[in-house]
Amino acid sequence: MKKTILVVYGGNTSEHDISIISAVMVMRSMPSKGYKCVPVYLRDGIAYTGSKLFELKSYINFNPALYDKIEIIKNGIYTYCRSGKLKKVNVVDCALLATHGGDGENGVLQGFLQTHRIPHSSSDVRACAICMDKQLTKLVASSIGVNVVAGLVINGIKEYNRESIIAELGFPIIVKPVSQGSSIGITVANSQSELDDATNLALCFGDRVLYERQLSNFVELNIAAVKLAGDIMISEIEEPVSQSDFLTFSDKYLSQVNDKLSISRKCQTTLDPEIRNHLIETTKLLYEKIGLFGIARFDYLLSDNVLYLNEINAIPGNLAMNLFKQMSRSELLTAVIDASIMRGVPLAPRYESVVLENLKEIKK
């Protein structure tokens, strides 16, 4: 009997469209044998499904009337009958998450699925929250000896003090929303006016803003990891190529060819062996210490032979399938799904209590 696998994507996030592209790629790569793939497209607080959702063109001028609305309740998928009543149509074996940013990557969706006893392919609530919050990522990484770029955070415009930020960091300064991905809202400021504008832009994507001193002569290095059968498998190391001071949203997503994200990348085969080993071991350390699960991507900055953690993507674009050369995409997804089902949903420890029995004498 085929296992029912939900591919969940979309949702309340500024990376909504990127999530759609990832999901379609994932669904096209799903193993056909032994699994029933069910798209679950989250849009405006409603979950939709339907066979046409396997095609990218269906999301252009999306028409909700063409798709079934569903509810996910206690490890099952329910559709609405004409009477308005819910009808259970499938028991869910696993949810494969292709949600990027927002509630799909910050732990909210993960908590919902765990509440409904549905195994999923992502890290748990705590680990997702750490990775989505750049300030938390820095704090955790630095606490275990991983280098991070010097920076500071403000909580809202009332804490913005241009002079103190410049005095502490100096130009150029990279300005980022604390809880955004895909380089959304990120700007490099080289003057006081640019710093003001960059801060206002970042505040459009959240209440907190991260300021970092921009490194000189740096290269960006990405590597992905996934734990399978107790061992952490490491992907190839890639160097994404940008025409800007940093890897922008346009670099990542606005150069599409034939439904594929065609960002310029090159595999790092000339990296110094000592740095390569340090990058791999740092990635394994972070994966274990944060308690990650499934596929995660780690983005680093290398400057003057010093490696800095830039950010961690708990649910990377395209699930970073292109970085794993050890197996096919179908094989990788099969391994991730099987590991997710085996992990299941953790049960809270039980504690026998007589609190309610002691209250039986209390009158209403």
Side-chain angles (χ1 to χ4, degrees):
M1 185 175 179
K2 288 188 174 183
K3 295 175 180 176
T4 299
I5 310 300
L6 308 185
V7 176
V8 186
Y9 56 103
N12 178 28
T13 169
S14 55
E15 300 176 71
H16 185 102
D17 292 354
I18 310 309
S19 175
I20 292 171
I21 296 170
S22 286
V24 170
M25 289 182 176
V26 166
M27 290 188 288
R28 289 176 179 175
S29 304
M30 276 285 292
S32 57
K33 192 173 182 180
Y35 300 100
K36 177 183 179 182
C37 179
V38 179
V40 177
Y41 175 41
L42 306 177
R43 185 185 180 101
D44 300 325
I46 299 172
Y48 297 95
T49 193
S51 59
K52 290 185 178 180
L53 292 176
F54 286 84
E55 303 172 16
L56 269 178
K57 64 182 180 181
S58 300
Y59 303 91
I60 302 171
N61 300 320
F62 180 76
N63 183 358
L66 298 177
Y67 305 95
D68 293 327
K69 295 179 183 179
I70 62 170
E71 300 287 347
I72 299 173
I73 305 170
K74 199 177 179 182
N75 83 336
I77 305 174
Y78 292 75
T79 58
Y80 286 91
C81 302
R82 289 184 180 179
S83 63
K85 292 183 178 180
L86 288 171
K87 178 183 177 182
K88 191 172 185 177
V89 292
N90 270 306
V91 173
V92 179
D93 292 288
C94 181
L96 187 58
L97 305 190
T99 44
H100 304 319
D103 292 344
E105 197 172 357
N106 64 10
V108 171
L109 177 60
Q110 289 75 9
F112 170 82
L113 292 170
Q114 289 171 204
T115 299
H116 287 276
R117 319 302 304 153
I118 296 176
H120 61 82
S121 61
S122 166
S123 296
D124 64 15
V125 174
R126 179 189 56 81
C128 283
I130 290 171
C131 294
M132 197 66 206
D133 187 306
K134 292 179 175 63
Q135 184 180 20
L136 282 178
T137 303
K138 280 176 168 288
L139 290 171
V140 172
S142 60
S143 74
I144 57 174
V146 176
N147 293 325
V148 295
V149 179
L152 57 92
V153 171
I154 65 165
N155 294 290
I157 193 64
K158 290 183 178 180
E159 290 190 9
Y160 178 57
N161 186 316
R162 181 201 305 131
E163 287 70 26
S164 66
I165 293 171
I166 295 171
E168 182 168 343
L169 300 178
F171 290 117
I173 299 170
I174 296 184
V175 185
K176 307 176 180 180
V178 167
S179 297
Q180 279 293 326
S182 296
S183 300
I184 292 173
I186 298 180
T187 313
V188 176
N190 291 284
S191 67
Q192 292 185 7
S193 62
E194 288 183 358
L195 186 62
D196 292 342
D197 292 341
T199 298
N200 288 327
L201 175 61
L203 286 170
C204 292
F205 298 98
D207 296 330
R208 292 181 297 146
V209 180
L210 170 64
Y211 301 87
E212 293 178 334
R213 179 184 295 118
Q214 186 177 37
L215 300 174
S216 59
N217 303 317
F218 69 89
V219 295
E220 299 191 37
L221 298 172
N222 298 343
I223 188 171
V226 61
K227 194 170 190 177
L228 301 173
D231 295 320
I232 298 176
M233 182 171 72
I234 296 294
S235 76
E236 289 193 352
I237 302 167
E238 70 165 4
E239 180 185 340
V241 180
S242 173
Q243 303 301 316
S244 307
D245 293 329
F246 63 97
L247 195 63
T248 67
F249 182 89
S250 296
D251 291 328
K252 292 179 179 179
Y253 302 119
L254 297 184
S255 55
Q256 277 183 236
V257 179
N258 297 327
D259 298 344
K260 294 183 179 180
L261 303 179
S262 57
I263 179 176
S264 179
R265 307 171 187 270
K266 61 180 181 181
C267 289
Q268 263 291 355
T269 56
T270 59
L271 199 61
D272 179 271
E274 186 173 339
I275 293 174
R276 176 184 292 274
N277 184 63
H278 178 47
L279 188 150
I280 291 172
E281 293 306 313
T282 299
T283 298
K284 290 181 178 180
L285 176 68
L286 288 164
Y287 194 102
E288 289 283 19
K289 291 295 185 180
I290 296 174
L292 293 167
F293 182 83
I295 299 171
R297 196 187 72 228
F298 301 75
D299 298 351
Y300 295 91
L301 302 172
L302 180 65
S303 176
D304 297 328
N305 287 329
V306 178
L307 192 68
Y308 300 87
L309 176 70
N310 188 28
E311 64 179 22
I312 303 172
N313 293 271
I315 307 178
N318 193 23
L319 300 190
M321 293 186 295
N322 57 302
L323 293 180
F324 290 96
K325 307 301 182 184
Q326 301 95 321
M327 56 180 71
S328 70
R329 294 185 176 192
S330 177
E331 291 170 335
L332 178 61
L333 291 176
T334 298
V336 169
I337 291 168
D338 289 348
S340 303
I341 293 173
M342 183 174 295
R343 176 181 66 159
V345 179
L347 292 173
R350 290 192 174 276
Y351 178 73
E352 297 298 329
S353 168
V354 294
V355 171
L356 294 178
E357 285 80 353
N358 289 342
L359 293 176
K360 65 184 177 181
E361 300 299 327
I362 296 178
K363 297 181 180 179
K364 294 183 180 180

